[in-house]
Amino acid sequence: MGDNSIIGSQGGKISEALTKTKPYLAMVSLQFGYAGMYIISMVSFKHGMSHFVLSVYRHVVAFAIIAPFAFVLERKIRPKMTLPVFLRIVLLGFLEPVFDQNLYNLGMKYTSATFGSAIVNILPAITFIMALAFRLETVNVRKWHSLAKVIGTVITVSGAMVMTLYKGPILDIIHSSHDHSGQKSSTAESSDHHWVTGTLMLVGSCGGWASFFILQSFTLKKYPAELSLTAWICLMGVLEGGIVTFVFEHDMHVWVLGWDSRLLAAVYSGVVCSGMAYYVQGMVIRERGPVFVTSFSPLCMIITFALGAIVLAEQVHLGSIIGAIFIVIGLYTVVWGKSKDPIESSAPSKNIDQLPVTDTIKPISVVSVTSNNGGRPLEMSKISTSSHLSS
């Protein structure tokens, strides 16, 4: 009897340890997934793939994966679709799958995969500013942790400005045995010409992503079925993205995929970054809050930096390094401030009622940096995914 109780106690401790470790393992794995997406997408662009087409095919794959699970697993809990909810889903399908991803992909083509993954770290700062505007976040300048969120936001935005306005000398950190001088010269000339435009596009994409999180937090209150909402967003992304593609791409040949990096980019980003990642991030957001999710984004930047230098022979400028350091410092200043926010009581409040229902006493939101609600990656990045291509 005593042995059984000891075994049960040990089993309980192991189970508890695994439960605590799973969110960390999940987020670290996702950062490798996002880094791979950045690299594969850049390779597909160099092979002539349209970023509009990539976004559409990505969500075709994601919808094909998510829809069956949503239909089966949520058939008993899925609420009735109403016109207000449907209109929100239509807007969500535009904000992230169309506006955010196309701006991001185009901005990354004008700069680099490494630069794009670095500037995405301003997402929590933009979300924080928008959350203040929507009264989802409060600031008390008399408290250090609350003031830290403002200071961190300022530092993060400053880092983005440094990356935009200052390139600096090229840092040849990883030497290549091949002679890429002609390629580097051409790439540098193109990047110099489009650098500011590409950076502004990347910042704009983060603004669209932040808007997506805020709108999704309210939508989940009306439609609390995560998989179904994800499937709807992907479907709307396909329809709206298809319309945008037909407007901007008049050559039907752009829709043709071969057995090359273009097909790999569509399948990989759809499965890993719009299917698995969105749903996993959503689960982690519910358990640990979106601030926890965003705190892992600098890891993706480091992985992409290494892969970009090795696989794509990308140039790294001093301004990008300095700006990235500012952004990471600002991000973790905001995260520290958020970690010191008082835990709300389980009693319902006016503020909590605006957000999705959660299973923990920590009120959380899909907004990346919110105070009384804790918080991209979305239910559909919950489905930000990044997350990009995010992302």
Side-chain angles (χ1 to χ4, degrees):
M1 189 73 175
D3 291 341
N4 290 336
S5 63
I6 292 175
I7 294 175
S9 176
Q10 291 177 341
K13 290 181 179 179
I14 294 175
S15 177
E16 182 180 355
L18 289 175
T19 301
K20 291 181 178 179
T21 305
K22 278 193 297 185
Y24 293 90
L25 295 177
M27 292 313 305
V28 170
S29 300
L30 285 183
Q31 301 315 307
F32 278 93
Y34 275 122
M37 178 190 65
Y38 295 139
I39 301 301
I40 294 173
S41 297
M42 281 296 291
V43 173
S44 70
F45 295 151
K46 291 183 178 181
H47 283 80
M49 187 172 194
S50 166
H51 57 88
F52 292 110
V53 173
L54 175 59
S55 179
V56 173
Y57 279 144
R58 167 178 173 171
H59 290 94
V60 168
V61 174
F63 177 76
I65 293 174
I66 294 294
F69 289 99
F71 180 77
V72 174
L73 300 178
E74 294 183 342
R75 62 183 183 277
K76 295 182 179 180
I77 65 172
R78 185 166 44 246
K80 182 180 178 180
M81 179 63 66
T82 62
L83 181 59
V85 171
F86 180 75
L87 293 177
R88 292 185 181 190
I89 291 176
V90 170
L91 183 55
L92 286 170
F94 174 79
L95 283 174
E96 213 281 332
V98 180
F99 182 81
D100 167 35
Q101 290 186 19
N102 282 297
L103 266 187
Y104 183 87
N105 289 335
L106 190 56
M108 189 170 65
K109 287 170 67 175
Y110 283 164
T111 54
S112 69
T114 302
F115 185 88
S117 65
I119 208 166
V120 162
N121 291 312
I122 70 171
L123 178 65
I126 296 177
T127 309
F128 175 77
I129 295 171
M130 296 185 68
L132 283 177
F134 283 91
R135 298 183 179 180
L136 296 175
E137 177 68 68
T138 57
V139 173
N140 184 351
V141 294
R142 296 181 179 179
K143 296 183 178 180
W144 277 108
H145 75 272
S146 189
L147 191 60
K149 293 182 290 186
V150 178
I151 296 174
T153 300
V154 173
I155 295 175
T156 301
V157 173
S158 300
M161 292 179 65
V162 170
M163 296 180 76
T164 305
L165 303 176
Y166 175 67
K167 291 185 67 175
I170 296 174
L171 303 180
D172 191 13
I173 298 177
I174 299 181
H175 298 278
S176 174
S177 58
H178 301 286
D179 181 14
H180 297 290
S181 57
Q183 176 185 345
K184 288 183 178 181
S185 176
S186 174
T187 303
E189 182 179 351
S190 174
S191 296
D192 287 338
H193 183 67
H194 296 292
W195 192 264
V196 174
T197 301
T199 304
L200 293 177
M201 287 181 174
L202 291 171
V203 173
S205 75
C206 291
W209 203 357
S211 302
F212 177 89
F213 294 149
I214 291 178
L215 178 59
Q216 191 188 33
S217 69
F218 292 112
T219 305
L220 283 169
K221 180 64 178 179
K222 302 285 186 180
Y223 196 81
E226 299 159 4
L227 283 173
S228 298
L229 181 61
T230 293
W232 274 110
I233 292 173
C234 287
L235 179 60
M236 289 298 105
V238 171
L239 297 177
E240 296 173 42
I243 294 173
V244 172
T245 304
F246 280 117
V247 171
F248 288 97
E249 299 284 359
H250 303 292
D251 184 6
M252 296 300 295
H253 185 70
V254 298
W255 293 95
V256 178
L257 297 180
W259 292 95
D260 52 19
S261 59
R262 293 174 295 175
L263 178 62
L264 177 61
V267 175
Y268 180 92
S269 60
V271 173
V272 177
C273 303
S274 285
M276 295 172 55
Y278 287 165
Y279 183 71
V280 170
Q281 284 173 334
M283 296 298 97
V284 176
I285 284 174
R286 275 201 176 277
E287 181 179 343
R288 302 299 296 269
V291 174
F292 180 86
V293 172
T294 58
S295 65
F296 285 83
S297 55
L299 176 60
C300 179
M301 176 183 65
I302 296 171
I303 299 170
T304 307
F305 165 77
L307 291 178
I310 296 172
V311 178
L312 302 176
E314 288 188 341
Q315 299 173 341
V316 179
H317 295 267
L318 178 61
S320 297
I321 298 294
I322 296 175
I325 292 174
F326 271 85
I327 289 174
V328 171
I329 293 174
L331 171 65
Y332 281 107
T333 303
V334 173
V335 170
W336 178 83
K338 287 297 301 170
S339 68
K340 301 300 181 180
D341 279 343
I343 299 176
E344 298 292 322
S345 66
S346 57
S349 70
K350 180 180 179 181
N351 222 11
I352 297 176
D353 284 348
Q354 297 174 345
L355 300 171
V357 177
T358 65
D359 296 325
T360 65
I361 61 173
K362 280 188 179 181
I364 61 176
S365 154
V366 183
V367 180
S368 269
V369 202
T370 61
S371 175
N372 297 325
N373 341 340
R376 124 147 162 56
L378 144 152
E379 228 78 33
M380 180 195 157
S381 193
K382 179 176 188 182
I383 147 184
S384 150
T385 175
S386 186
S387 168
H388 254 332
L389 292 195
S390 171
S391 333

